[in-house]
Amino acid sequence: MKPLARAEEQVMKAVWKINGGLLMEIVAAMPKPQPHKNTVATILKTLHGKGFIEIQAEGRVNHYLPAVSKDDYTKATLTSVAKGYFEGSFANVVSFLLDEKKISAKDLETLLKNVKKK
């Protein structure tokens, strides 16, 4: 799965948030300051070309639907980061987060409890 540019990711987050919609609904779901609708339309066309968006024509209006789930994109992105920067090891990712004080010991304990449950 290809990584998304920052603007593409922002549009996809809006699409995921509302589970698809019309152009103006997607623009409204974006954080302020919202980009111009023409910009969002162009990005949606690019996302469609990359396989992230499905377009359903409803008369003269397009309905944009996510073709890739947020979970699938998140998994692919995290896996890519782990492979690219941490020799593919999620243990190395967690160690890095601990070293950088981005995760607390309490968070790590919660994570370990979740791992034991599964």
Side-chain angles (χ1 to χ4, degrees):
M1 182 177 306
K2 293 181 181 181
L4 296 176
R6 181 177 291 170
E8 294 169 341
E9 195 169 283
Q10 288 176 338
V11 171
M12 278 307 301
K13 285 180 180 180
V15 172
W16 287 322
K17 181 179 178 180
I18 63 172
N19 199 27
L22 304 175
L23 174 61
M24 293 311 294
E25 293 170 331
I26 294 167
V27 172
M30 296 185 70
K32 296 193 185 318
Q34 296 163 330
H36 192 274
K37 66 179 181 176
N38 292 346
T39 302
V40 175
T42 300
I43 293 170
L44 286 165
K45 185 175 179 181
T46 301
L47 289 167
H48 176 68
K50 289 184 174 185
F52 280 85
I53 293 286
E54 293 176 4
I55 300 174
Q56 291 181 346
E58 297 175 2
R60 297 180 64 185
V61 180
N62 288 332
H63 190 81
Y64 301 94
L65 298 167
V68 174
S69 74
K70 184 177 180 181
D71 285 346
D72 287 345
Y73 182 72
T74 301
K75 288 175 196 174
T77 301
L78 287 175
T79 300
S80 177
V81 168
K83 284 181 181 178
Y85 298 95
F86 299 98
E87 292 117 33
S89 169
F90 283 98
N92 288 349
V93 173
V94 173
S95 292
F96 174 81
L97 293 172
L98 280 169
D99 291 344
E100 295 296 313
K101 296 180 177 36
K102 300 293 183 185
I103 188 171
S104 68
K106 185 177 180 178
D107 289 340
L108 189 56
E109 287 174 15
T110 302
L111 180 61
L112 288 172
K113 287 178 187 176
N114 289 337
V115 169
K116 289 178 183 179
K117 285 180 185 177
K118 296 180 181 189

